[in-house]
Structure formats: structure tokens, C-alpha cells
Amino acid sequence: MTLFIYDHTFEGLLTCVFDAYFRKTFPSQLLTEGEPLPLFYDEIVRIATDEKKARRVWRGLGKKISKHALSSLIYCWLSELPQVDEMLFRYIRKAIDATRSIETNFADPDVLGLSKIYKKVDGERIHLMQFVRFQKAIDGTFFAAVEPQFNALPLAIDHFTDRFADQRWLIYDIKRQYGYYYDLKETEEVTFEDPHQAHLVTGMLNESLMDHDEKLFQTLWKTYFKSICIKERLNSKKHKQDMPVRYWKYLTEKQ
Amino acid sequence: MNENVLAKLKVLAESAKYDVSCSSSGTVRRNQSGTLGNTVGGWGICHSFAEDGRCISLLKIMLTNYCIYDCAYCINRRSNDIPRATLSVSELVNLTIEFYRRNYIEGLFLSSGVVRNPDYTMERLVKVAKDLRLIHQFNGYIHLKSIPGASRELVNEAGLYADRLSVNIEIPKEENLKLLAPEKDHQSVYQPMRYIQQGVLTNKEDRKKFRHVPRFVPAGQSTQMIVGATAESDKDILYLSSSLYRHPTMKRVYYSGYISVNTYDKRLPTLKQPPLVRENRLYQADWLLRFYQFKVEEIVDDSYLDLDLEIDPKLSWALRHPELFPIDINRAEYEMILRIPGIGVKSARQIVASRRYSRLGFYELKKIGVVMKKAQYFITCNELPTRTVNELTPAGVRKMLAPKPKKKTDERQLIFHFSDDQ
Ligand code: SF4
């Protein structure tokens, strides 16, 4: 039983694939540095992440599966689920060894499993596009806080850059303490030296930091949200199913 | 913008909410660099869900709820004593832009009561769309409800700025429409529909000749029918839908279970609650027409005027045609796989894709997302044959799949996604 220990980055994972083929030994488990070791094993291999190796694996993989399948692997990685790296490893290995693309072979547990994870992460990306709520700050920046289940913000960012091209904005992932800022020219990943500022913790702008019409528009939206509901059709089960409670925290209309 | 707008917003959203269409689909309008908004991927984003479970995608609102007409089924009819309000063009434009900037909405869905005359009202609707597009460079979604009886010129102008136009039929049969809305007739509905259709066709020709001609209602048109206010059968309704879908610009027909808003009007039935199950069955039938390659006469006909409320229309069709089953999952054409109860479009596609690698059995089908509870009676797959609809008889299968009469379920709380569980 061989164990690979790597730095738990996507490049690192691809390097694992490269080295495995090179050594002709395939790990039965992938571990991150510092993780407890299992009781029994034969060999430990420490993998040093190497961008060149990673790129070669990625390019080789591109010849075996479609662009969509390729990008869905990144989605799965961003799920941050335990053991998703091992599934990805097995998938990549099968894809490389197969003579034709394995991506639609849903009878294979890894293909099916990853396709399900992809759907979940993609769902989270869509949830972000749906449920991000901006508050206008006094300096004109539009601020939104999110706390996605999976690390899906990078996947949704192009959408926001395209849509809100004439306003400055910041979307901040409170759980992972980083965000994206658009300055009317480009969008950049940002972190803050002091992540304990109130709005980076609560996700809500303090009234003193709000644009002077912000409160009014929040009230207008809340009023609209209430008025548009047809009482005769109340259906809170569907309401909660389509807008899961875990998003309510930052939804203006649910405050 | 001030508190005044707040009161108006409340009144006008209340008045607009009975129009069911909310979808903001059908267009890809790219962001022109540095401006506000886009519409994505040809489908709309639901930004919120009201407590009635309906998607909030657009700011659905009326310009005014004053109306010179007196349609019996409408909350805004002139004989009703309700709060009335009118938003100015600039207030509407402002609300739309500011809501959009905060990612509350995909765009605007604007309708109006008729004030003075149809053209006067239509002009104002068009002005809102025009200002949004030309003054504010707004690329979000705009859906305008065309006023019945509006002139061709105004409909044509509206088409330049709106992604979608709609004219509501409301009542499928003209004699019933005239009974409830004496000031309207089918002509006033079908005429603007034709204008839209012609506008799109002319625009297509123009765009072949000149590349930069702007698109005319790129997301086509839609309409709505009220269900349960008059005596039409589901056959009447679905035949009308199917003939509307024959026009390439007609993208969606919406069905709205009648809500007794004007209980005092004796021309209307008094319903304790809107016929939501029937409405849902109509949507399912509509999906069969649009995505499952069904012909309308397969769903309803003279001996089968109304849809079964207990089981969905696809299952109901299958039970009327046991001779076509069981279907071999590993061999049958895609079109037949689509017709198996319990298999949706997505599952059908996955089945056809996966079976090239290996034969599929119960386990794989379940994993793919097939609702085996239903499908098992209609298929053969890699396993030993099970008891199908032929051995169990249609009545037997029906008994197993129809909701148990004992269990008391609140029929208003059905949750249906018209996706994979058909
Ligand atoms: S014309 Fe429209 S707003 Fe006026 S009463 Fe009829 S349905 Fe209602």
C-alpha cells in the first residue's frame, strides 16, 4: 500500500498523477502533509508540486476528454469535499488509460460520482448568481457577502464582471476570507489585512457606511417581495426548497 | 425617489402579481462594454422566491392600475374599490436600474391598466423601455405586456426595445371572453400577436440584408390563459396552446389557476382555492408538447376531454397504451425512451449516452436519476423481466401509483418541478 503526500493544491494533484506514471506505482491513498497516517502502509512518497509536470498532465488529459469534462474536474476540485482528490486521481488515470473518452460512462462509479459533485458545485455557482445581494456603500462601491457551501465564487466571477461593468463592486466570501474586487477595469482577487472589520464578519454594511439611498432601496425591495406573494397560493415548502434557508442570512428581503 | 414611491410600489406590485409569467428566458443580450447588464445563456436567473414559491426574476409591476375596462376576472377592473396609483416613467426607470444594480432582479416586466385609450397607455410603456435602453444603456431583460388594441406602430416600436412582448388571451373561447370582458374580443388579442409575428419575420429579412439592424423581440412572445374561471375543457385549452406553438415566435403559454378576486361577480364561479393541481397538470401537458415530442391529440381528445388530476399526463398516456410497453432500455430509440413514465429529458439523454459502454440495469438507471417507482412497470433492462403494465394491467399500475385516497394531503402544497420526474 503506497501513500502519496502532497500539498493539497490542484497542481499538486496533477503532479501526483505525473509522478505515479513515472514511478509506475499508484497510490491507494492521497494525504495532505500533517494528516494522520493510517496504521498499515508499505511506502510513503512525498510529492513536490511542479507546475511543468502539472501542465503536461493537463494537456495530455485534454486530448482524452472534452473541454467541458476538463473544466468540470476543476469544479469538482473546488467542492473541497474530503476524498474528492482521490476520485479525481482515479478518474484522470482511467481517462488517460482508456482508448476513448470515459466521460459519459455513467456506469463507472467515479464518472458518475464526479458528475454528481460537478452538478452540486455548478448549482452553488448558480446560487451565487441568484442570491448575491449588493449594498451600495457611501463611496459608491457595491458590497456583497457570501458564504457558499463549496468554493464556487471563482466560477461565478466572470458573470458578475460582465453584468456589472459600470459599477465598482466587491464580493466577499466570509467563510474563506477572500473576495473579488472590480474597479471598473478588471476584477482581482483580494484579501484584507484586517478581516475582522464588522462588515467582513457580519456581511452587512453599517448604516454609517451606506450610500444615503441604500436604506430606501432595501425597504423598497422588501416591500416588493412581500407584495408580490399571492396569499392564496402560499407554499413555504417550495419557497424553502428553491431558496434554501442557509442563504437567508445575507438576503436583503429576508432581513 | 422617496417614501411616496414606496406606497405606489406596494399598490402596483399587488396589482401585477396575478400575471403568472415570470420567466426571463430566451435571450442572450451581451453586455456592451462598460455598461450595465446582460442576459445570460438564454435562460433567466431566479433571484428570489416569494413565499408562494414562485420565482422572482423580474420586477413585475404595473405602470398604473387605473383602468377604463371592467374585466370580471381582474382585480383592477374599474368597478373595484381598491387603492390606485401610477408610477412616472422616470420612477419606473430608476427602480429598475437600482434594483438591477443590487442583483435583486434580471430586469423589468411591465404591464398596465388601460388609461384613456390603448395607444395612450402603450406609448408610456414603450417610453419606459426606450429610456432604459437608450438613455441608461440598460442591457437587462425587458418584458412588456402589449395593451390589447394598441396600434401596429407602437407594437413595432416596443419590439425594438423589449426582449419579449406578451398579449394575454386570458379566456380560451371567445364567447366566454366576451361574457366576462365585454370590452375585449379575440381580435384585440390576436391582432397584436400578429403584429409581433410579422415584426419578427420582417426583422429577420432585414438582418440578412443589413448586419446592424437591431433585433426585434429576440425572446419572442408569450401569453397566458386563466384556468377555471370559465367552462373550457383541458382539450380546449391545450388545442389552443398547441396551435399557438405552431407560430415560431410563440415561446411560452402560461396557465393561471383562477383566483376568486371578485367574489361578488355572479358570472364567475366561487372557488375556495385556485385549481392548482389542474394548473400543474396543464403545465406538464405543455411540457409534453414542447420537450417530449407529444402531439396534442395524444394527450387529450374527444373521449378524454380533461387531464387526470391524480396522475400526470405522461403516465396517463402510457396507461392508455399498454401495447407499446415494455420498452427495452438498452435498445429503444431516444424518442421512445422519452415516453417512459419516470424518465425525464436529462435521464433519457444519459441513458442513450451510457448504454454504449455497457448494458444498463436497475442499479444504473436509479443512479442516473430515473424514478424507478414509476418506470419499472414500463421497461425491460439488463435484469430478469419483472411484472410490467401488461401483466399487472393498466388499472393495477394506476392503483399503485395514484396517490392513496386515505392520506390527507393538502393539494395546494404539491411541489412539482417539471423536470425529471415526468
Ligand atoms: S384591461 Fe387589463 S387591467 Fe383593465 S380590467 Fe381588463 S384585465 Fe384588468
Side-chain angles (χ1 to χ4, degrees):
Chain A
M1 193 162 130
T2 307
L3 309 177
F4 279 17
I5 296 185
Y6 76 118
D7 65 355
H8 211 80
T9 61
F10 193 60
E11 285 76 29
L13 179 69
L14 295 176
T15 311
C16 289
V17 175
F18 187 96
D19 286 359
Y21 273 94
F22 188 76
R23 306 165 37 100
K24 299 201 180 61
T25 39
F26 293 88
S28 47
Q29 222 178 323
L30 294 176
L31 291 173
T32 310
E33 197 64 66
E35 241 182 294
L37 297 174
L39 277 184
F40 306 102
Y41 56 85
D42 303 319
E43 188 191 11
I44 291 187
V45 183
R46 289 209 152 65
I47 302 294
T49 298
D50 180 329
E51 253 187 61
K52 265 195 216 130
K53 290 179 182 173
R55 221 173 300 135
R56 276 182 60 188
V57 172
W58 194 242
R59 236 183 282 133
L61 199 55
K63 292 186 191 122
K64 292 288 194 172
I65 57 175
S66 70
K67 262 215 175 104
H68 172 75
L70 211 54
S71 87
S72 73
L73 297 183
I74 297 177
Y75 276 57
C76 291
W77 174 259
L78 290 173
S79 73
E80 301 173 337
L81 289 170
Q83 265 114 54
V84 76
D85 52 352
E86 287 171 4
M87 278 174 96
L88 284 166
F89 190 99
R90 288 195 299 269
Y91 179 102
I92 294 173
R93 189 179 164 194
K94 283 178 206 161
I96 289 175
D97 292 346
T99 45
R100 58 175 178 167
S101 168
I102 60 161
E103 65 197 74
T104 48
N105 183 11
F106 297 102
D108 179 293
D110 289 318
V111 175
L112 189 73
L114 286 176
S115 87
K116 294 221 155 120
I117 294 177
Y118 165 77
K119 266 186 219 142
K120 280 192 199 154
V121 178
D122 192 49
E124 196 69 342
R125 176 183 71 90
I126 291 165
H127 280 143
L128 285 170
M129 289 158 65
Q130 295 179 283
F131 302 137
V132 155
R133 293 287 181 271
F134 287 114
Q135 308 154 59
K136 191 176 183 185
I138 195 154
D139 70 350
T141 306
F142 286 79
F143 169 72
V146 295
E147 221 173 307
Q149 203 177 9
F150 310 116
N151 188 13
L153 188 53
L155 303 169
I157 270 318
D158 285 350
H159 164 75
F160 289 105
T161 303
D162 188 48
R163 172 163 293 196
F164 300 105
D166 73 338
Q167 66 192 45
R168 272 172 301 161
W169 49 259
L170 168 69
I171 306 177
Y172 187 75
D173 182 335
I174 291 197
K175 193 146 106 197
R176 298 172 185 80
Q177 298 198 340
Y178 81 106
Y180 289 88
Y181 176 69
Y182 172 75
D183 65 358
L184 298 179
K185 282 196 216 71
E186 50 199 316
T187 313
E188 263 183 333
E189 192 180 320
V190 291
T191 50
F192 292 91
E193 266 171 34
D194 175 15
H196 303 297
Q197 302 169 66
H199 51 276
L200 298 183
V201 176
T202 63
M204 295 296 162
L205 285 184
N206 190 300
E207 264 185 62
S208 64
L209 291 176
M210 279 182 191
D211 179 79
H212 79 283
D213 271 349
E214 178 56 28
K215 206 79 234 165
L216 174 66
F217 283 110
Q218 290 188 13
T219 316
L220 283 164
W221 175 240
K222 279 193 237 175
T223 307
Y224 176 76
F225 178 77
K226 273 200 214 100
S227 312
I228 206 68
C229 168
I230 299 181
K231 309 281 173 307
E232 291 87 340
R233 302 182 66 128
L234 272 190
N235 189 341
S236 71
K237 203 164 149 199
K238 186 160 187 308
H239 170 64
K240 283 186 191 148
Q241 178 180 301
D242 290 340
M243 194 157 74
V245 178
R246 65 192 159 94
Y247 296 99
W248 290 11
K249 203 162 150 192
Y250 305 115
L251 285 174
T252 314
E253 60 270 35
K254 281 289 176 186
Q255 299 310 307
Chain B
M1 281 288 158
N2 53 37
E3 303 300 324
N4 205 347
V5 177
L6 192 67
K8 293 196 211 171
L9 178 75
K10 191 165 182 300
V11 169
L12 292 169
E14 297 261 0
S15 280
K17 70 183 169 192
Y18 296 99
D19 201 308
V20 285
S21 44
C22 73
S23 126
S24 51
S25 60
T27 335
V28 182
R29 190 181 285 272
R30 262 172 247 301
N31 178 285
Q32 292 150 11
S33 79
T35 59
L36 178 66
N38 62 1
T39 57
V40 284
W43 48 274
I45 300 172
C46 290
H47 284 283
S48 191
F49 291 87
E51 280 168 2
D52 54 18
R54 294 184 312 154
C55 152
I56 302 180
S57 167
L58 304 173
L59 169 60
K60 189 191 293 185
I61 196 163
M62 293 181 100
L63 178 87
T64 178
N65 65 344
Y66 284 99
C67 191
I68 55 174
Y69 292 161
D70 206 32
C71 310
Y73 46 79
C74 176
I75 189 163
N76 302 311
R77 58 189 292 190
R78 68 163 181 265
S79 45
N80 274 1
D81 179 24
I82 54 163
R84 308 265 174 182
T86 305
L87 280 164
S88 72
V89 170
S90 70
E91 283 166 339
L92 265 169
V93 167
N94 219 334
L95 269 176
T96 308
I97 298 267
E98 293 299 327
F99 277 12
Y100 194 86
R101 286 196 182 289
R102 286 162 177 76
N103 205 39
Y104 297 164
I105 53 170
E106 286 294 285
L108 175 67
F109 176 10
L110 186 60
S111 59
S112 182
V114 185
V115 277
R116 282 199 223 172
N117 57 58
D119 273 355
Y120 176 88
T121 315
M122 190 69 185
E123 236 176 86
R124 254 139 215 85
L125 294 186
V126 174
K127 181 87 165 79
V128 173
K130 186 175 177 181
D131 283 6
L132 278 169
R133 292 280 192 242
L134 300 189
I135 299 181
H136 297 272
Q137 265 85 47
F138 175 72
N139 305 306
Y141 197 88
I142 301 180
H143 178 165
L144 293 184
K145 213 159 121 188
S146 186
I147 303 294
S151 72
R152 177 190 285 260
E153 288 67 34
L154 283 168
V155 173
N156 278 344
E157 203 188 349
L160 294 178
Y161 310 117
D163 290 286
R164 173 168 285 179
L165 289 175
S166 60
V167 196
N168 285 358
I169 294 175
E170 307 292 18
I171 308 293
K173 283 194 169 161
E174 186 164 32
E175 67 259 31
N176 288 337
L177 177 69
K178 281 193 164 150
L179 181 73
L180 296 182
E183 290 111 333
K184 286 184 186 167
D185 54 22
H186 269 176
Q187 176 69 7
S188 66
V189 176
Y190 290 127
Q191 193 61 22
M193 275 187 186
R194 270 194 292 276
Y195 293 155
I196 298 167
Q197 171 87 10
Q198 283 157 5
V200 171
L201 293 181
T202 325
N203 180 251
K204 240 194 198 146
E205 287 306 308
D206 290 350
R207 280 168 63 84
K208 277 188 205 145
K209 284 181 239 150
F210 317 103
R211 273 199 310 133
H212 295 294
V213 175
R215 287 184 301 174
F216 186 90
V217 283
Q221 53 179 326
S222 64
T223 190
Q224 167 179 299
M225 286 186 249
I226 300 174
V227 177
T230 45
E232 281 88 346
S233 66
D234 291 343
K235 180 186 165 229
D236 297 328
I237 295 172
L238 289 168
Y239 267 72
L240 181 52
S241 304
S242 133
S243 79
L244 288 167
Y245 283 136
R246 247 167 257 145
H247 300 280
T249 58
M250 181 55 71
K251 299 298 182 209
R252 280 302 296 273
V253 176
Y254 291 92
Y255 309 91
S256 171
Y258 173 65
I259 298 170
S260 310
V261 281
N262 304 322
T263 38
Y264 60 86
D265 196 316
K266 294 295 165 248
R267 287 170 294 173
L268 289 161
T270 31
L271 306 176
K272 264 213 235 85
Q273 45 183 241
L276 295 183
V277 177
R278 182 175 176 204
E279 174 193 299
N280 182 64
R281 295 290 178 230
L282 283 166
Y283 274 114
Q284 289 176 320
D286 188 274
W287 276 63
L288 294 184
L289 289 177
R290 290 188 301 138
F291 303 116
Y292 289 78
Q293 311 178 8
F294 273 77
K295 294 202 190 69
V296 67
E297 58 271 22
E298 295 180 290
I299 304 172
V300 275
D301 61 32
D302 282 331
S303 59
Y304 192 72
L305 287 174
D306 288 302
L307 297 170
D308 195 323
L309 293 183
E310 282 185 350
I311 55 175
D312 69 76
K314 190 164 143 189
L315 178 58
S316 161
W317 170 83
L319 293 178
R320 294 197 302 276
H321 294 281
E323 74 282 2
L324 297 173
F325 296 96
I327 287 173
D328 183 348
I329 287 286
N330 287 299
R331 282 223 184 81
E333 303 274 323
Y334 172 72
E335 289 70 27
M336 275 322 285
I337 305 255
L338 259 189
R339 291 194 166 224
I340 302 169
I343 296 186
V345 176
K346 263 192 225 143
S347 311
R349 285 208 193 115
Q350 281 203 7
I351 288 170
V352 178
S354 306
R355 69 185 182 186
R356 291 184 295 143
Y357 298 91
S358 54
R359 291 174 58 79
L360 305 175
F362 266 51
Y363 174 78
E364 288 82 10
L365 291 176
K366 223 182 197 146
K367 285 276 179 182
I368 282 171
V370 172
V371 184
M372 290 305 281
K373 200 182 115 206
K374 275 189 206 169
Q376 56 175 325
Y377 306 113
F378 301 94
I379 58 170
T380 53
C381 53
N382 211 12
E383 261 86 359
L384 290 171
T386 49
R387 278 145 50 89
T388 70
V389 65
N390 291 310
E391 290 82 52
L392 294 166
T393 75
V397 172
R398 190 198 156 91
K399 219 170 127 201
M400 277 183 275
L401 292 179
K404 306 276 170 290
K406 269 276 162 60
K407 233 172 78 206
K408 235 190 129 227
T409 47
D410 181 353
E411 60 168 22
R412 296 186 314 155
Q413 299 288 316
L414 285 178
I415 295 187
F416 283 107
H417 282 295
F418 313 105
S419 52
D420 252 14
D421 59 350
Q422 287 254 329

